[in-house]
Amino acid sequence: MATNNDYSRSSFLMEQYQHEMDIITAALQEESQDERAERLSLVQCSWSLSCACLQGELEVTEIPAYASVAFARP
């Protein structure tokens, strides 16, 4: 069940996301074609790593605390 705190955090994150997107949009309108190609190349290379990190984070939060400690041991 979602709480008011969950909604306010979600609202804050959406506002923060929108603010960052506005900054990015302004920057994109000012960049050259070469800069755009370079940036897109970097995004393409990092996208799979970002997805893997986020997926790993989701999996970790789904594992009970005692199980994650067991995985940490060699």
Side-chain angles (χ1 to χ4, degrees):
M1 180 179 202
T3 64
N4 286 340
N5 195 22
D6 293 335
Y7 291 123
S8 64
R9 177 185 157 110
S10 177
S11 177
F12 171 75
L13 290 175
M14 286 301 296
E15 288 175 20
Q16 186 177 13
Y17 173 81
Q18 185 59 50
H19 175 71
E20 295 296 323
M21 290 299 104
D22 291 344
I23 292 171
I24 291 170
T25 299
L28 290 176
Q29 292 173 350
E30 297 174 1
E31 75 180 350
S32 70
Q33 186 63 33
D34 289 340
E35 290 170 324
R36 181 173 291 153
E38 181 181 358
R39 180 184 45 76
L40 290 174
S41 175
L42 293 172
V43 169
Q44 182 180 12
C45 292
S46 66
W47 183 252
S48 61
L49 293 175
S50 298
C51 291
C53 288
L54 291 171
Q55 182 63 38
E57 188 68 28
L58 287 173
E59 291 171 358
V60 167
T61 59
E62 295 171 356
I63 299 173
Y66 65 89
S68 61
V69 172
F71 286 127
R73 295 183 180 166

